[in-house]
C-alpha cells in the first residue's frame, strides 16, 4: 500500500490563484513565477459516486458528473457508493499511474472533499484571509521569499533559510511533502510572493515555520509541472 503514496507523482499543485508558476526556459535574470501549473479543474465539482477504491492515505472515486464520468483522488475518507460528493480545491493530473491499483488514469483530479479538513488535503487554499506578514529570518543565508525568487540563479545549490507561513501542504508526493510558503514579501502580480519547499517534515496550513534548505532551479517533475525556483531537502522548525 505504501507504494500508492510514493507514486502520487506531482499531484501537487492546485496552485491556481495563490501559487506561482513559470516556464523553465525563461531567462534566469528576469523576475519570474516560481512554477507553472497544469490545467486546474474548476472548484466545486459535484457527482454521484459510482466506484470507490481505498489505498493507504487516499480514496479513489469514480464520479458521474454533469460533464461525464471522472476519477478523483481524495485523502482517505469513508464514502459510500451511490452517495453524492463535492470536490474542493480540485486540480488535474494526466497520465497518472497507481502502482498499488495497477491502473493508469488518463485524467484524474486530486482534491479534498468539501467540508473536510483542509490541512490533510493534497492541495488546499490558504488558511488565513488577513494579509501575511512574517518577520525575516536572521543569520547567515537568511532571505525573504521575494529575495530568493529574485536571486535564484546566484543562490542555486546554496543553503538558505526563510521564515514564512504555510499556505498549502501536499503530503506524500514523490516520497516527500510539498509546502507552499509566503512571508508577505513580493506580490501576486509580480509572482514572487510564494515559494515551493520540499521536505520530509510535516506542517499545517497557517503554521509559521523556519525553513532551512537548498535552492534549486529549473526543476521539471513531468506532467507539465516545472519550477524555476524552489527550496529542496528542507528542514522545518516551528
Amino acid at each position: 500500500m505504501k507504494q500508492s503514496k510514493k507514486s502520487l507523482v506531482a499531484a501537487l499543485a492546485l496552485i491556481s490563484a495563490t501559487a506561482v508558476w513559470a516556464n523553465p526556459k525563461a531567462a534566469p535574470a528576469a523576475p519570474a513565477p516560481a512554477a507553472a501549473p497544469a490545467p486546474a479543474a474548476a472548484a466545486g465539482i459535484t457527482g454521484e459516486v459510482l466506484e470507490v477504491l481505498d489505498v493507504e492515505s487516499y480514496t479513489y472515486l469514480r464520479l458521474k458528473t454533469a460533464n461525464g464520468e471522472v476519477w478523483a483522488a481524495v485523502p482517505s475518507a469513508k464514502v459510500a457508493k451511490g452517495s453524492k460528493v463535492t470536490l474542493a480545491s480540485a486540480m488535474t493530473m494526466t497520465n497518472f499511474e497507481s502502482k498499488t491499483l495497477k491502473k493508469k488514469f488518463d485524467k484524474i483530479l486530486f482534491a479534498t472533499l468539501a467540508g473536510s479538513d483542509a490541512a490533510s488535503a493534497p492541495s488546499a487554499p490558504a488558511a488565513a484571509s488577513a494579509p501575511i506578514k512574517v518577520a525575516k529570518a536572521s543569520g547567515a543565508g537568511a532571505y525573504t521569499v521575494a529575495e530568493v525568487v529574485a536571486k535564484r540563479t546566484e543562490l542555486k545549490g546554496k543553503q538558505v533559510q526563510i521564515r514564512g507561513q504555510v499556505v498549502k501542504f501536499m503530503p506524500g508526493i514523490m516520497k516527500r511533502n510539498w509546502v507552499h510558503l509566503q512571508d508577505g514579501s513580493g506580490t501576486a502580480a509580480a509572482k514572487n510572493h510564494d515559494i515551493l519547499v520540499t521536505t520530509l517534515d510535516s506542517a499545517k496550513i497557517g503554521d509559521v515555520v523556519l525553513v532551512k534548505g537548498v535552492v534549486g532551479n529549473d526543476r521539471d517533475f513531468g506532467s507539465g509541472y516545472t519550477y524555476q525556483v524552489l527550496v529542496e531537502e528542507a528542514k522545518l522548525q516551528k
Side-chain angles (χ1 to χ4, degrees):
M1 290 294 188
K2 291 184 179 178
Q3 288 184 343
S4 171
K5 186 174 179 181
K6 293 180 179 179
S7 66
L8 294 173
V9 198
L12 48 165
L14 86 108
I15 318 173
S16 29
T18 54
V20 285
W21 303 85
N23 184 340
K25 296 182 180 178
I45 297 173
T46 298
E48 178 185 353
V49 178
L50 301 179
E51 187 175 354
V52 179
L53 300 173
D54 287 307
V55 298
E56 184 179 355
S57 301
Y58 285 86
T59 297
Y60 290 81
L61 305 173
R62 181 165 63 91
L63 303 177
K64 180 181 179 181
T65 73
N67 295 318
E69 291 188 11
V70 65
W71 277 97
V74 301
S76 294
K78 293 182 179 180
V79 181
K81 184 177 178 180
S83 63
K84 286 193 174 182
V85 298
T86 298
L87 304 178
S89 303
M91 56 107 195
T92 305
M93 184 176 177
T94 58
N95 299 319
F96 170 73
E97 183 177 1
S98 169
K99 301 294 185 181
T100 301
L101 296 176
K102 295 182 174 61
K103 182 176 179 65
K104 185 173 182 180
F105 300 89
D106 293 333
K107 173 183 175 181
I108 188 168
L109 306 179
F110 283 84
T112 180
L113 294 177
S116 64
D117 182 2
S120 65
S123 298
S129 56
I132 294 172
K133 190 64 179 177
V134 179
K136 181 179 176 179
S138 59
Y143 295 91
T144 66
V145 168
E147 288 172 342
V148 173
V149 174
K151 299 178 180 180
R152 60 190 176 275
T153 303
E154 63 184 88
L155 292 176
K156 181 179 179 181
K158 295 182 180 179
Q159 184 90 14
V160 299
Q161 54 175 330
I162 309 169
R163 181 178 284 110
Q165 182 173 320
V166 176
V167 297
K168 298 182 185 71
F169 179 70
M170 300 166 281
I173 296 170
M174 297 179 68
K175 304 180 183 179
R176 70 208 80 180
N177 299 325
W178 297 57
V179 178
H180 272 264
L181 199 72
Q182 297 179 14
D183 59 5
S185 66
T187 65
K191 299 179 180 179
N192 62 351
H193 70 308
D194 181 293
I195 195 164
L196 172 68
V197 176
T198 61
T199 178
L200 297 179
D201 297 336
S202 294
K204 293 181 180 179
I205 293 174
D207 283 349
V208 174
V209 297
L210 178 65
V211 169
K212 294 183 179 181
V214 178
V215 175
N217 285 184
D218 300 329
R219 292 296 305 274
D220 186 348
F221 294 99
S223 298
Y225 298 105
T226 57
Y227 291 80
Q228 201 164 45
V229 60
L230 72 164
V231 178
E232 302 180 281
E233 302 174 5
K235 294 291 184 181
L236 307 185
Q237 297 177 9
K238 298 181 183 179

